[in-house]
Each structure stands twice: as structure tokens, then as C-alpha cells.
Amino acid sequence: MPPNTTATTGDTATTGAAPAKSGRKKGRKARLIVLVLVLAVIGGIAFGAYWSISTVRASFPQTKGSITLQGLSGPVDVKRDGNGIPQIYASSDEDLFMAQGFVQAQDRFYEMDVRRHMTAGRLSEMFGKSQVKNDEFLRTLGWDRIAGQEYDTKLSAATKKYLQAYAKGVNAYLQGKDGKDISLEYAALGFTNDYKPEKWTPVDSISWLKAMAWDLRGNMQDEIDRALMTSRLGPQQIQDLYPEYPYSRNKPIVQEGQYDELTHSFQQSGASGASQNTGTTGTTGTSGTTGGATGGSAGSTGTTGSSTSTTSGSSLTSQLAGLYNVLDDVPTAVGVNGQGIGSNSWVVSGKYTITKKPLLANDPHLSASLPSVWYQMGLHCRSVSTTCQYDVTGYTFAGMPGVIIGHNANIAWGMTNSRVDVTDLYLEKVSANGYLYDGKIRPFKTREETIKVAGGASKKIVVRQTKDGMPLLSDRDDELVQVGKRATVNTAAPDRGDGYGIALRWTALDPGTSMDAVFALDKAADWSDFRQAAALFDVPSQNLVYADTDNHIGYTLPGRIPTRSSADDGSIPAPGWDSKYRWTGFIKQNELPYEYNPKRGYIVTANQAVVDKDKYPYNLTTDWGYGARSQRITDLIESKIKDGGKISTDDMRQMQLDNSSEIAKLLVPKLLKINLDDKNVRDAQKLLEGWDYTQESDSAAAAYFNAVWRNILKLAFGNKLPKELRVKGQCLWVDKIDSTGPVDDDTKVRECGERDADQAQPDGGDRWFEVVRTLMEKPDSDWWKTPKSGTRPPANNMDQLFRRAMIDARWELTAKLGKDIDTWSWGRLHRLFLKNQTLGTDGPKALQYVLNRGPWKLSGGEATVNATGWNAAGGYNVVWVPSMRMVVNLADFDKSRWINLTGASGHAFSAHYTDQTSLWAKGELLPWSFSAKAVDDSTSDTLVLKP
């Protein structure tokens, strides 16, 4: 039975205030407050004047005329359209990538600089002591060390040459510039820090792939959550919250073709499934993007709050004096971790399109950041040859050469996170002399790291690793310390003592060839090239969809994916002291699932299961997405092509905007049958009558339903989870627990949640859809029981809990939106705020005002195709979004369409800072020029880079 809990409304403390000794002191205090306010206003004016006159103008890039760059072999043209999106034309590969580095630095160098400091665990050098915890964690992971090893030992000579050219271009931009000449953020840092940007290196570019891989690493958070749940929930209850994937209802990606033949050959040959990934040499691979967080979620940092100097100096200086103490969890950068994080991509064969050639759509779902993680551009050789091989356009990351997602003259590709399990946490029995392994104590490998801190003393840490390179993360992460205290082990396990250490095995901690894959993919000419390229893309493992101008479509799953023994399925932390739980090898690339020209004529990937578990010999993961989005996309495609219908480019766009709520279709018929006594609640219930389940921003029904859904989750599950999974600051009276679990003596203790609102559970993603769907078949389940709270009635079954949720939702929205339901709308709850991920997050208010934008009232919702995600445990604000959208038309690339979340520029007052956001919010797409003529027709500014 789930532990009994009772919600509290929070504590209030009453203190007796001593009477003032004199009216004179009251007056003096009032004058002091007025003085502070006046100084703040004066400071704000000074702040604005400084920015508008000096820094803003100095940091804007030159986009017309010509600039001489040392190192170019010939002239390069940089043509920008009306949205500032650059198309680069060169006559050699090195000139092309050098120009790419220069142009990206013009628009986004501050973002690039923060990213490289994050990946190297050096944020404290920019922002001071608030980032030491983050840096400790990131130094322990050692992303930049692995990137350096990749550069030295794994990457091809051509890739190194391109990385060097890119770095040369970035450094050409930096030459002779002070911080204020680069961006206003550096000018702000200059008030508290003498930081100066360093030269760019090839390793800086490679490291960002590690940051992306961290957020797309698989089920590590699920492993942690399941371990933490054991303090309050039993094995069956935890299983209830992680139901089986519904293969019969939500189809996997690969439904026909190659993996069936592969399975047959395995069965005939009796292959064991413990094979080594040999990879292939060849051309092309790509990087993936869908997921989310990097530095912000990697470490465990506390909120320090902003500080204000009380010493002498101008008001502006006082506002900025404590700048480096307020940058908590910098940067979010890529995204947040959550069950809702994902992506959509699909491709439709020419036999079902108006153009008679394939159409391909993609929209990766990541956290909302400003500027967007994506950077749009084209890289064009004036004449494709052996000396200049590229003619490609699409989305890349500022700080990385090449294109990650997009198309060239022959093929197009998209990506979604595969969610295959490439991480495992290991419990380690740690002693003074090392760690236990197969009955023997083995010494840790250790290294000392020195963290330099702006405005403070450096800090030294010791990183401990096992013999096979697994870092001991629990030395740095408080949540993992709790996992070590609570993770379930069998009776043969060594004495737990104060808890086990937690080590990480992760494919990205081994040097790889993903950077080779990016360049190879960009010049792939056909399916064979594409597959060879994918084999180079070892981390992160992504679903890759494919289309070409010869009317072929395909899908492949690349990646370095581990195999495990029968003792370990990767779902919970494994015993590190027993060698049988170590990885047994890696799946060979030619044994991974793929499809080519399936008979059904389309392929959909949206983080669902890759293959049916009964038709493939390897266990890829225990934690797929549950397929709500993928099945909805499939249904939309099927509805368009039935009876001979054809799909257009705009049809693909409209599918990306589908707001239909799958959980609403399941629950609303049930909610309409609930008898309600309160007229006000009945009025809200009537909003659901005739509702079509679409979550438009102006829909009152969508607002009320999502509030009911949030309260169902809170009552049935959220209030029964341990504090480590609940929202920070939300407090409950709960059963007391000891080392063995809940104490059965009715003793209650007050516990407050510990997770950030966008990380807490239940988050409301499609795993929770499946949990509720399954439990609706058990209307008397203990999960549906919840105690009385204040005037709210208790619930002893599903109908009673639904009634309680409808009541709670009505009064929650009354508080948030007003009593008059005619004024309610989903967009008033479901808002997008775009925040600069450093100074705009926790910096001085004046800086936040300058750097941040919003809100936008959005349609869409959790686990819908238009996945404007919100965390049901934390509230309704948007926390992840379709970070870009594209539709590629293989019949005429110039009729393709694209959009970015923000804009090309990272400069706060640039016309291209957020010029795409309002269009994005409306679901519109921009023209996407590719041919030389189309680019010329759309060009607004031309800059010539001269040798």
C-alpha cells in the first residue's frame, strides 16, 4: 500500500516585534529605504545608457563590405538573409570552415565561450565561487580530457584539419578585441572580474558533443529515481510506475525489413549477443539532438541569491558587484532532463506526397534557451571537387564546424533521441584502500584537479576512478549519495555501512569518432554513404531518418551500445563488486536495426521503442518513451494517405503543430460522468463537453483539463513519492521511515521536496499516461486512495479521487486565472519565458531585463506532437519546446521550410536576437534557400572575407 501522506499548506511563523523606541528612528529608516530606491533608479538609467551608447554598438558584427583574414587561401562570401542567417561560399574546405568559425564567433562567441568553460569544468573562472560545485562534477566526468584523447588518437587527419581551420576563424575574430567589443555580457563581467577570453582550440569544439551526449545519455535518471523510490515504495509499487511498453498499441520504429532478417540469422547461428563494436571506416555520421541539460543539471549547486554591495561606488557598480555569486546552475544550455524530453522526426515516401519525392520533418525537443542551442547556416563550395567537398545547409551548434541536421544536394536527414541505455550506475563498496572487486580491494586511479575561482582562492579536488575508467560520481553529487544509502541489494552484498559509492559507466567516457561522422554525413551522397557515416557516430546514439532525391527513405540506429549479461538489464544501479555485472561488449554496427524503403511508405521516430522486444536479440533499454507522440503522427499520416490522398509540405508543418492530447481522450469521458455537488465545479466540468481534445492557447477546456490531470497525478502519486523526487519546498506530513522503510506506528514527520520544479516527479509525460491507463483497470487500487485535506474530501477509489482532482483544479485555476471561467485560457497558464542562460537567469534585475524576453502564450502540451512541455509536478510554464522545426522537400530544396526558436544572433539588442520566436510560436516556417539563385534572391547583406 502506498504510504499515507497529508499535504500541508506551509508553515507560518509569528514573531513579536518590539515597538519602535522613537518616531525619529522610524523616519530615519523610511528615508534610508527611499534613498536606496532612488539610487536603484539612477543605477538603472546609468546601466541602460552605458549599454545603448557603448557596448551594444561595439559588439555588433560587421555584415557588409570586406574584412581581411590572415590564413585564407581565397576570398569567401558571407551572404545573410533578412533574418541574419548566413550562407557561406568558398573555394576550399579549409576556407569554408575557417569562415564558419569567424561568422559564428561574430554572432555567438559569448555563448561559445560559456559552453567550453562548462564542458571543461571551468565556469568558476568566469562566474566565481557559485560554480565550484558544477566544476567539481564536470571535472570528475572529464569531458574535455576525453575530447583531447579523441583529437589525439581517434579522429581522421581531414577532421583535424577542419577543426584547426574552424579554430583559426574564431581566433581571427577575437584578435585585437576586448570583452566589451565581443558582447555586453563581457562588459557586465568586467565590473567584477578581469576575465579575458582565450583562444579557441579544436578540443573546445569536440567537447560540446560530450555535453550533448550527457543530456541524451539514456535512462540514468530513471535508475536514480527507482533507487530513491525504495525508501517509500515496494517493488510492485515501483513496477506500477514503470509499466511495460504498449507494443500492441504504439508501434515501434522498425516494423518490417532488415531486423527481422537479422533476427532469423541470429537464431540460425546461435549468436550470443556479446559482440564487439568494430565500427566501419567510411563517410558520414551525425550528431543528435534532443535532449536536454548540460551544465545546469550536471552538478549539485545551491542557490546563493543575488548580493548587493553596500560599499561606496556608483549604483550601477553596486548592482554588478556580486555578479559571480548569483549565477546558479549555469548554463542550462541544452536542456532539462525529464520524461517529456524527446523529439519528432518522420519521412514520407514520394508515392504518398504531392511532389512525388520524399518529405522529411524534424523538431528536436530541448529546453528553452536564449539564444537557441541551434544555429542555422549554409556551407557551400562554389564548385564541389576533391579540394572543396561540401554543399550543405541546416542546423549546427555555435562552436562546432559542419552541419548536424539538414540536407545537402542529394540527401536529407533528421534525428531524435533513441533513448537506448548507454549508461550504468554501479554501487561500489569503498574503503580507505580502494574499492571491492571480485573479493579483492583494488586501488582507485586518482588525479588532482585545480579549480580556479574568479575573485577567490583556487580549490583542489581529487577525482577517483575504477580500473576501467569509471569516475566515482558520489564524491560530487548529493543525490547519488542518497542512492548509495538506499539502493536495493541482495543478501550477499557487502556491508553497506554509511552507504555505497556510485560510479558511472558511460560510452561517452571512451574516446570516439563522432566528430568524423559530422563531416562525413555532410557530404554523403546516398544510402550507403549515410549508413557508413552513421557507424562513425558512436555517442550519443540517435534515431536517424533519411531521404534522398532518388526517392528512397530509410532509418538507422547508430551508436556504441553496450551488451550486458543476463544478470543485469541496466534498469537499476548494479553491484560493482561483482564482475558478472560488467558490460560484456558492444553491439556490432551491422547488427543494429535499420529500415530501407519499407512497404508502408513512411517511417516515424519520436522516442518510442526502436524494435519489438520479442523480435530482436538484444536488450536496448528498459526505458523507452511510451509512444504517444509517435502513434499520433502515424495516425495523422495514415489519415492523409487513405483513399489515395497525398501529403504536401504544409501538411507536414500542420502535423508538427498537432495539439491533440492523448490522455484527455482517455480521461475526459470518465470525468464527464463524475457527479459534482458544487455548481462552480460543475461549470468547469461543462467546459469539457464537446471539447475536441486540442490544446489551443485560447482554450478554456484545455486549461481546466490540464489542471485536473496535474491534480490527479499529485493526489494519486506525487504525494506518495519520497522527498527526493518531489518539488523543492512542497511539504507533506508523511509516515516516518527508518533504514528498513516506513515505520508502521502512525508516526508522522514533515518532509519537504528537494527537486527543482522542472525535474520533479510525476512530470506528466507519456509514462504517466500509461501508468494511469493501466491503473484505471483497477479502480480500487491503493494508488487511488488519498486522505482528507482541509475541506477537501478523502478518496477511497478512482472515481472519488477524480472528483477530488476536479474540485482542486477548479479552485487552483480560480486562484490563478479568476473565478469567471469565461476568462480562462490555456495560454495564460502555459507560457514561454526565454532567459539568457547565464546573466539572464540569476543576475541583477537590470541585466535580466536587458537579456531576457517573453512571455509567449503557447498552444500544445505534454507528450503531444506540438510538444511544448510542462512539468505537472512543478506547474504549467513551458520547460521544453520544439527547439527548431524543419520540413525538407526533396523534389525542390528551395521549397523546404525551417524556423529556429530564437534567432541567429546572441546579441541582446540585435534585430535577430528573437526575430523568429513569434513566428515559431504561431507555427510558421521561413523559406529555406539552398540553390545559388535562391540564396542570392534572399540575400540582404554580403560580407567578403579576403586573404
Side-chain angles (χ1 to χ4, degrees):
M1 179 176 182
N4 191 18
T5 58
T6 304
T8 67
T9 56
D11 289 336
T12 56
T14 303
T15 57
K21 293 184 178 180
S22 70
R24 184 178 179 183
K25 285 195 174 183
K26 282 185 180 180
R28 186 176 297 169
K29 183 177 180 181
R31 287 194 297 274
L32 179 60
I33 292 172
V34 170
L35 179 61
V36 170
L37 291 174
V38 169
L39 288 174
V41 170
I42 294 172
I45 294 170
F47 181 88
Y50 178 83
W51 249 253
S52 62
I53 294 170
S54 175
T55 307
V56 173
R57 290 179 181 174
S59 62
F60 277 14
Q62 179 181 338
T63 60
K64 296 181 179 180
S66 64
I67 298 175
T68 299
L69 293 189
Q70 296 290 333
L72 286 176
S73 64
V76 177
D77 296 327
V78 181
K79 302 179 180 183
R80 294 178 182 261
D81 67 10
N83 292 97
I85 299 170
Q87 305 279 346
I88 300 176
Y89 289 83
S91 298
S92 74
D93 290 338
E94 291 93 327
D95 284 355
L96 190 65
F97 295 118
M98 182 178 176
Q100 184 181 16
F102 181 86
V103 170
Q104 287 191 344
Q106 280 188 304
D107 286 336
R108 301 272 194 99
F109 182 77
Y110 175 76
E111 173 194 4
M112 294 162 58
D113 199 17
V114 171
R115 283 179 176 177
R116 68 167 165 176
H117 278 78
M118 184 268 292
T119 58
R122 296 174 56 199
L123 286 170
S124 299
E125 295 177 20
M126 295 184 75
F127 304 116
K129 65 182 180 181
S130 71
Q131 293 309 301
V132 169
K133 288 288 188 182
N134 259 342
D135 285 347
E136 289 178 3
F137 190 89
L138 294 164
R139 293 287 183 96
T140 300
L141 287 172
W143 290 344
D144 65 326
R145 295 176 65 254
I146 306 301
Q149 293 172 26
E150 288 183 2
Y151 183 79
D152 291 337
T153 65
K154 289 289 186 179
L155 299 181
S156 70
T159 293
K160 290 182 181 180
K161 181 171 62 176
Y162 300 156
L163 287 165
Q164 291 163 3
Y166 180 89
K168 188 189 299 184
V170 175
N171 294 328
Y173 167 76
L174 293 177
Q175 187 173 359
K177 289 183 172 63
D178 293 327
K180 64 182 177 60
D181 300 323
I182 299 172
S183 78
L184 61 82
E185 289 95 335
Y186 287 120
L189 285 175
F191 284 98
T192 59
N193 189 347
D194 60 358
Y195 171 79
K196 300 288 189 244
E198 301 171 353
K199 287 187 175 182
W200 194 263
T201 73
V203 173
D204 293 334
S205 295
I206 301 168
S207 295
W208 186 241
L209 281 175
K210 298 299 178 186
M212 290 300 306
W214 175 253
D215 199 53
L216 307 175
R217 63 195 178 275
N219 71 339
M220 180 174 150
Q221 192 62 51
D222 289 309
E223 286 190 53
I224 293 170
D225 287 357
R226 279 188 285 257
L228 294 174
M229 285 178 185
T230 58
S231 67
R232 292 212 169 271
L233 304 177
Q236 181 57 53
Q237 293 159 347
I238 295 173
Q239 186 176 326
D240 288 345
L241 302 186
Y242 289 89
E244 288 288 319
Y245 183 90
Y247 289 98
S248 62
R249 188 174 65 253
N250 296 341
K251 300 299 182 185
I253 297 170
V254 178
Q255 301 171 37
E256 55 186 273
Q258 283 70 15
Y259 88 87
D260 282 331
E261 297 170 15
L262 187 60
T263 303
H264 178 70
S265 68
F266 283 159
Q267 292 169 344
Q268 292 292 83
S269 63
S272 67
S275 52
Q276 190 68 29
N277 178 356
T278 58
T280 63
T281 58
T283 56
T284 147
T286 93
S287 128
T289 71
T290 40
T294 53
S297 61
S300 173
T301 64
T303 301
T304 58
S306 83
S307 59
T308 303
S309 172
T310 57
T311 59
S312 61
S314 73
S315 179
L316 172 59
T317 302
S318 72
Q319 288 185 47
L320 297 174
L323 184 60
Y324 54 74
N325 291 323
V326 301
L327 302 177
D328 181 47
D329 287 331
V330 177
T332 298
V334 178
V336 297
N337 279 313
Q339 294 295 332
I341 281 286
S343 298
N344 303 320
S345 69
W346 66 95
V347 60
V348 181
S349 168
K351 70 178 179 179
Y352 291 130
T353 68
I354 290 174
T355 65
K356 298 183 180 180
K357 290 289 182 73
L359 294 170
L360 186 150
N362 194 191
D363 56 290
H365 307 157
L366 302 171
S367 74
S369 61
L370 181 61
S372 167
V373 69
W374 296 110
Y375 186 93
Q376 298 155 284
M377 71 188 319
L379 301 172
H380 307 280
C381 290
R382 294 190 179 96
S383 177
V384 176
S385 65
T386 55
T387 58
C388 198
Q389 306 170 72
Y390 296 89
D391 188 16
V392 63
T393 181
Y395 297 84
T396 187
F397 306 126
M400 268 188 59
V403 167
I404 306 301
I405 293 175
H407 72 82
N408 59 31
N410 301 294
I411 74 166
W413 65 95
M415 299 184 190
T416 63
N417 192 10
S418 70
R419 300 197 65 170
V420 299
D421 188 359
V422 296
T423 61
D424 274 331
L425 295 173
Y426 284 90
L427 306 174
E428 302 291 350
K429 178 58 180 174
V430 179
S431 69
N433 299 317
Y435 63 99
L436 184 67
Y437 187 78
D438 282 352
K440 296 180 180 179
I441 297 296
R442 302 199 178 193
F444 284 107
K445 297 177 181 178
T446 62
R447 68 176 187 273
E448 187 175 83
E449 298 272 355
T450 300
I451 298 171
K452 297 179 181 178
V453 182
S458 297
K459 181 175 181 179
K460 294 184 183 296
I461 64 169
V462 174
V463 176
R464 298 190 286 178
Q465 290 179 295
T466 64
K467 69 177 182 65
D468 43 1
M470 295 194 300
L472 200 67
L473 297 189
S474 52
D475 284 351
R476 311 285 172 244
D477 189 290
D478 294 339
E479 185 172 61
L480 290 175
V481 170
Q482 293 303 312
V483 171
K485 291 180 179 180
R486 297 183 180 181
T488 301
V489 293
N490 61 33
T491 56
D495 175 64
R496 190 187 299 267
D498 292 331
Y500 300 120
I502 305 290
L504 172 67
R505 182 76 168 99
W506 178 31
T507 54
L509 297 183
D510 299 326
T513 57
S514 293
M515 200 70 235
D516 280 342
V518 173
F519 295 112
L521 181 63
D522 285 356
K523 61 183 180 183
D526 56 25
W527 174 247
S528 176
D529 285 353
F530 179 77
R531 286 271 288 163
Q532 291 178 38
L536 298 171
F537 201 81
D538 43 25
V539 179
S541 176
Q542 298 287 282
N543 296 313
L544 301 185
V545 294
Y546 166 93
D548 64 35
T549 54
D550 290 331
N551 215 0
H552 302 295
I553 65 171
Y555 161 85
T556 192
L557 174 69
R560 198 160 183 256
I561 302 172
T563 56
R564 300 171 175 85
S565 71
S566 59
D568 179 25
D569 67 0
S571 64
I572 59 175
W577 49 83
D578 190 338
S579 60
K580 73 181 180 183
Y581 289 92
R582 287 300 201 261
W583 291 353
T584 58
F586 299 91
I587 304 174
K588 292 179 180 178
Q589 288 294 317
N590 62 5
E591 295 172 352
L592 288 169
Y594 71 98
E595 277 191 338
Y596 186 57
N597 292 333
K599 292 179 181 178
R600 66 184 180 279
Y602 60 86
I603 300 169
V604 176
T605 84
N607 318 114
Q608 79 271 38
V610 171
V611 295
D612 192 312
K613 64 177 182 178
D614 295 328
K615 296 181 180 180
Y616 189 69
Y618 299 110
N619 175 27
L620 294 173
T621 187
T622 59
D623 294 293
W624 302 114
Y626 281 76
R629 281 180 289 110
S630 62
Q631 194 57 44
R632 176 61 179 170
I633 295 166
T634 297
D635 292 344
L636 290 170
I637 293 172
E638 290 284 355
S639 69
K640 290 295 294 187
I641 65 177
K642 69 179 180 180
D643 302 325
K646 301 290 185 179
I647 294 175
S648 69
T649 301
D650 197 59
D651 289 332
M652 300 284 275
R653 179 188 71 88
Q654 293 288 352
M655 291 178 194
Q656 289 179 324
L657 304 179
D658 183 76
N659 293 320
S660 177
S661 170
E662 297 303 299
I663 192 62
K665 293 176 185 177
L666 176 68
L667 289 181
V668 166
K670 187 72 176 175
L671 297 176
L672 289 173
K673 295 178 182 178
I674 300 293
N675 292 320
L676 297 163
D677 298 327
D678 189 315
K679 177 184 180 299
N680 291 299
V681 183
R682 288 200 308 274
D683 287 344
Q685 182 187 39
K686 290 177 182 177
L687 291 172
L688 304 179
E689 295 177 357
W691 180 42
D692 63 0
Y693 312 122
T694 60
Q695 300 168 97
E696 299 295 336
S697 62
D698 61 358
S699 171
Y704 181 59
F705 171 76
N706 283 314
V708 173
W709 171 236
R710 168 173 149 83
N711 279 278
I712 287 173
L713 293 172
K714 177 182 177 182
L715 294 169
F717 311 107
N719 290 348
K720 297 161 188 172
L721 295 175
K723 65 181 183 296
E724 291 88 356
L725 274 68
R726 299 199 314 268
V727 175
K728 190 180 296 182
Q730 289 185 0
C731 302
L732 307 170
W733 287 98
V734 300
D735 293 331
K736 184 179 180 180
I737 61 171
D738 59 21
S739 59
T740 63
V743 176
D744 191 19
D745 65 358
D746 294 329
T747 302
K748 299 287 185 182
V749 295
R750 189 170 184 269
E751 285 186 349
C752 297
E754 298 178 353
R755 284 257 174 104
D756 289 340
D758 58 8
Q759 303 284 326
Q761 293 293 336
D763 61 21
D766 64 356
R767 172 165 68 90
W768 293 99
F769 291 11
E770 201 62 27
V771 169
V772 169
R773 184 190 298 274
T774 302
L775 288 174
M776 285 178 71
E777 299 175 2
K778 304 173 184 178
D780 294 318
S781 167
D782 287 337
W783 287 110
W784 299 124
K785 298 179 181 179
T786 193
K788 178 181 179 181
S789 177
T791 61
R792 304 286 199 271
N796 293 302
N797 57 44
M798 182 180 70
D799 284 352
Q800 290 178 5
L801 186 137
F802 284 3
R803 179 182 297 109
R804 167 78 177 275
M806 295 176 79
I807 295 169
D808 288 358
R810 181 11 161 156
W811 299 115
E812 180 188 2
L813 294 196
T814 297
K816 292 180 181 295
L817 303 179
K819 187 174 182 179
D820 184 359
I821 62 175
D822 290 336
T823 67
W824 291 1
S825 70
W826 177 224
R828 288 181 62 197
L829 289 172
H830 193 54
R831 299 179 298 167
L832 171 66
F833 294 85
L834 290 175
K835 294 185 177 182
N836 177 286
Q837 288 305 303
T838 56
L839 309 186
T841 303
D842 291 300
K845 293 297 183 183
L847 263 179
Q848 292 188 39
Y849 179 80
V850 167
L851 296 172
N852 297 341
R853 301 292 183 271
W856 286 265
K857 297 176 180 179
L858 296 189
S859 302
E862 185 61 41
T864 63
V865 180
N866 185 18
T868 54
W870 54 286
N871 186 300
Y876 302 98
N877 277 340
V878 176
V879 294
W880 51 78
V881 294
S883 56
M884 62 81 157
R885 297 187 184 102
M886 74 176 195
V887 178
V888 183
N889 183 327
L890 276 293
D892 183 348
F893 286 122
D894 290 331
K895 293 182 179 177
S896 301
R897 296 290 183 266
W898 63 351
I899 198 79
N900 204 352
L901 172 63
T902 59
S905 179
H907 298 283
F909 288 102
S910 166
H912 307 308
Y913 190 50
T914 56
D915 58 333
Q916 298 185 48
T917 307
S918 292
L919 296 172
W920 171 93
K922 297 174 186 175
E924 298 180 20
L925 300 176
L926 295 172
W928 185 356
S929 299
F930 179 66
S931 70
K933 181 180 185 305
V935 169
D936 284 342
D937 289 346
S938 64
T939 295
S940 295
D941 295 346
T942 299
L943 174 68
V944 179
L945 304 178
K946 296 182 177 180

